[in-house]
Amino acid sequence: MPHPRLSRFATAATTATITATAALALTGPIAAATPAAPAAPADVAIGSPSVTAPIPLLPRPSDHLTVTVSDSGKAAKDGTYELYCHPARGTHTDARGACDKLDSLTRWGKDAFAGVPKDSKCTMQYGGPITARVTGTWAGRPVNAQFKRTNGCEIGRWDRFVPVLPAVTS
């Protein structure tokens, strides 16, 4: 049985035959407008090029975040929540709203979870002792973000992430 690939001993005639067969396959008649009945599988001739099935598309890995909230003063808000997006699901109280918010904050080349820049001028207000930590993967990138409400900039950052983070009334 001949080897299915061309060897170094292939002749010019064999190469020309393969090229002509490929050209005929590309220039054959166009199928009629009505679909034909499926043909029964035919035996593959010995020495013909192998036919392979297309590679199936792999499912997109979903974005997964773990949100941990503490010191809110309300037992219903404190705790650890799992959030999966695309599709939205998990133990988060508003998974769809949180995923939609994260999608709206995501910009190409920007870190949606970036902290407040160190040289920011922020109002001196205090939003309470509540803190949150968000870890996991978003848009294919690792996330490890801390949130607090210790000044106006941090409060604004927190508020931008509601409903990913719980709404806080001061």
Side-chain angles (χ1 to χ4, degrees):
M1 181 167 141
H3 196 276
R5 293 184 303 184
L6 290 177
S7 69
R8 62 187 172 127
F9 301 109
T11 62
T14 305
T15 305
T17 303
I18 291 172
T19 304
T21 305
L24 281 174
L26 293 174
T27 60
I30 297 175
T34 58
D43 292 332
V44 178
I46 295 175
S48 67
S50 64
V51 178
T52 59
I55 298 172
L57 295 176
L58 298 175
R60 176 181 167 196
S62 70
D63 297 310
H64 172 234
L65 297 173
T66 302
V67 180
T68 304
V69 179
S70 56
D71 299 324
S72 71
K74 297 183 180 173
K77 290 185 181 183
D78 286 352
T80 299
Y81 308 96
E82 298 297 322
L83 175 64
Y84 294 87
C85 297
H86 311 112
R89 62 195 187 287
T91 60
H92 193 282
T93 56
D94 183 8
R96 179 170 306 283
C99 292
D100 290 346
K101 173 54 83 169
L102 290 169
D103 284 337
S104 75
L105 293 173
T106 303
R107 301 284 180 267
W108 179 258
K110 302 288 182 186
D111 181 5
F113 295 91
V116 174
K118 298 217 183 276
D119 60 347
S120 297
K121 305 234 184 297
C122 305
T123 59
M124 294 181 63
Q125 63 189 105
Y126 182 65
I130 188 170
T131 61
R133 182 171 184 175
V134 179
T135 58
T137 303
W138 181 256
R141 300 175 87 177
V143 174
N144 186 3
Q146 301 274 351
F147 291 85
K148 53 192 175 188
R149 296 177 61 86
T150 54
N151 62 43
C153 296
E154 294 288 354
I155 291 170
R157 179 174 175 242
W158 183 292
D159 290 346
R160 276 192 306 278
F161 277 85
V162 171
V164 178
L165 303 177
V168 177
T169 54
S170 299

